[in-house]
Amino acid sequence: MTAGRETMGEQPIFTCKAHVFHIDPKTKRSWMSASSAAVSVSFFYDSSRNLYRIISVEGTKAVINSTITANMTFTKTSQKFGQWSDVRANTVYGLGFASEAELGKFIEKFQEVKEAIQAQQCAATKATNGSGAATPVASATASPLLAARAAADEPPALSPAQPKVENDEMMVHQRAHSVSSSLQGGYATVGRSPRPPATATSATDVDDTQLRYENDRLKLALAQSSANAKKWEVELATLKSNNLRLTAALQESTANVDEWKRQLHQYREEVARARHYATGKGGDANEVEQLRQRVAQLEAELAQKNEELAQITKSKKSEQDAEAKLAQSQLELALAAQDGQRQVLTALNDQLARQIEELSNVHREISTALQT
């Protein structure tokens, strides 16, 4: 596989070890582990297309395949962690290093590659504006960075008896060739791998980010529970208002019944007076008949009023009972939902406490390991 890359014009120029992370595509706020442990991360130069790429492979899975452009920026977010955004890959890559010095070397190489890309673009622009043909920065098969470094740091010749000493450049090439030989079967689709070991400091930073994310989730759940409680309070107030309205209607019906009874009493007194007057005065038959008809009419109206009162009372009572049952059931559902929310909040609090305790244990282990 290495021979194939060299034939195609792509060769490694720098290699280091780091934990690889991808930004969560859903939240854009938390990190997801892309490698299960520290893996080789290499800069490659493709002379056939004049491109620089950052490539990292774990097993047969490519966890980084990013083409470097002049507009990219590598940001150092902590002492041992940094990140850069790749618009073409539509993701943000994060690297956690074992030491701040290794992170510094990576940043230096990233900046060096960016400057080389910018120099190539300037040279191509000048050549296009001048003679119309771009002057090559390096040979057709070598990276401009390697060519410049080879010209400046050419080692002295060794005698046959002198032992061969490995310098930093040879170690870089050996790591790069080992990474290139592991690229079997092409580059697979980047996916999520298990979380890296908790002994790495970069994993601690990620755990901090995850804890902040869990804390935000807990706050959101608490806010939703408070909003639900307010909604239930409004519903309960509405039910109480309906109950008061029905009570007022029932009281009004009772007042109407009392008024009808008072009118009936007045009618009866009027009938009694009329009868007494007819008997005492010996009134004519026509007047007596009119009074009887009036009494019959009043009694019919009274019966009708009594029937209407019974129907209204029955309707109001059934309506009030139905409203009371509905209010009771809704209140019970609200209380049950509130208990469920309280249980969820309790579970989230327990989970957050466990994660904080685990993070504290990991931090103590890392501190102990660094001190020893």
Side-chain angles (χ1 to χ4, degrees):
M1 193 67 181
T2 304
R5 281 188 173 277
E6 292 177 353
T7 303
M8 293 169 59
E10 189 172 32
Q11 57 181 339
I13 58 176
F14 179 79
T15 301
C16 61
K17 289 280 189 178
H19 288 263
V20 180
F21 300 90
H22 295 164
I23 199 70
D24 190 344
K26 295 181 180 179
T27 62
K28 300 295 184 182
R29 296 170 60 185
S30 58
W31 290 102
M32 299 189 307
S33 298
S35 62
S36 60
V39 295
S40 296
V41 181
S42 302
F43 286 82
F44 279 86
Y45 174 68
D46 188 350
S47 59
S48 62
R49 295 183 296 173
N50 201 20
L51 293 176
Y52 290 89
R53 290 199 299 167
I54 300 177
I55 297 174
S56 178
V57 177
E58 185 179 31
T60 58
K61 179 182 65 178
V63 293
I64 299 179
N65 187 2
S66 176
T67 301
I68 306 175
T69 63
N71 297 326
M72 282 187 178
T73 301
F74 188 88
T75 304
K76 179 181 178 182
T77 58
S78 66
Q79 291 183 351
K80 301 178 183 180
F81 194 84
Q83 65 185 48
W84 79 96
S85 176
D86 190 339
V87 178
R88 296 181 180 178
N90 193 24
T91 188
V92 179
Y93 294 103
L95 294 179
F97 294 86
S99 64
E100 188 174 4
E102 294 183 5
L103 174 59
K105 292 180 181 179
F106 187 90
I107 296 176
E108 181 181 354
K109 179 56 63 176
F110 195 96
Q111 187 64 27
E112 186 179 349
V113 170
K114 276 189 57 177
E115 292 175 356
I117 295 173
Q118 294 172 355
Q120 291 175 2
Q121 292 179 352
C122 292
T125 302
K126 291 180 180 179
T128 302
N129 295 333
S131 61
T135 303
V137 179
S139 64
T141 59
S143 165
L145 297 178
L146 291 180
R149 185 177 298 174
D153 300 332
E154 183 177 359
L158 299 176
S159 62
Q162 183 178 359
K164 186 176 181 181
V165 181
E166 293 183 353
N167 54 24
D168 293 339
E169 190 67 20
M170 293 172 63
M171 292 176 64
V172 170
H173 280 287
Q174 287 179 356
R175 293 181 196 156
H177 282 293
S178 65
V179 172
S180 180
S181 63
S182 66
L183 301 176
Q184 299 177 356
Y187 296 110
T189 302
V190 176
R192 180 174 180 177
S193 297
R195 185 179 295 276
T199 56
T201 307
S202 60
T204 305
D205 298 335
V206 175
D207 287 340
D208 290 337
T209 304
Q210 187 67 23
L211 284 177
R212 286 194 294 270
Y213 173 67
E214 293 293 339
N215 192 18
D216 293 338
R217 280 183 53 197
L218 183 61
K219 291 180 179 178
L220 179 60
L222 184 59
Q224 290 178 351
S225 179
S226 300
N228 291 335
K230 292 181 180 179
K231 181 180 69 174
W232 297 330
E233 289 177 359
V234 171
E235 291 181 356
L236 185 59
T238 303
L239 293 174
K240 289 181 178 179
S241 176
N242 293 336
N243 191 15
L244 292 175
R245 180 173 57 83
L246 292 174
T247 303
L250 184 59
Q251 292 175 354
E252 182 180 359
S253 298
T254 304
N256 291 333
V257 170
D258 294 337
E259 178 65 21
W260 293 336
K261 288 181 179 179
R262 187 182 62 80
Q263 292 179 2
L264 177 61
H265 183 68
Q266 290 179 355
Y267 293 156
R268 287 178 177 176
E269 288 181 351
E270 183 180 352
V271 170
R273 285 195 303 270
R275 287 178 178 176
H276 179 71
Y277 176 79
T279 303
K281 297 295 183 177
D284 57 5
N286 291 332
E287 186 177 357
V288 172
E289 185 64 25
Q290 289 178 357
L291 290 174
R292 288 178 179 176
Q293 291 178 358
R294 177 61 176 168
V295 170
Q297 182 181 0
L298 291 175
E299 289 179 351
E301 290 180 359
L302 179 60
Q304 184 180 0
K305 293 294 185 181
N306 286 332
E307 185 179 357
E308 291 179 358
L309 177 61
Q311 292 179 354
I312 291 175
T313 304
K314 183 178 180 181
S315 176
K316 293 295 183 180
K317 184 176 181 181
S318 61
E319 184 178 355
Q320 188 176 12
D321 292 341
E323 290 287 345
K325 289 181 180 179
L326 178 60
Q328 183 68 24
S329 61
Q330 290 181 351
L331 183 60
E332 290 177 355
L333 290 175
L335 293 176
Q338 190 173 10
D339 291 338
Q341 290 286 340
R342 188 180 294 108
Q343 293 177 359
V344 171
L345 290 177
T346 303
L348 288 175
N349 280 325
D350 295 340
Q351 182 181 1
L352 184 61
R354 288 195 300 270
Q355 291 182 352
I356 292 175
E357 184 178 0
E358 292 177 359
L359 182 60
S360 300
N361 294 333
V362 170
H363 189 270
R364 286 196 298 270
E365 293 177 359
I366 293 174
S367 300
T368 305
L370 293 176
Q371 290 176 1
T372 57

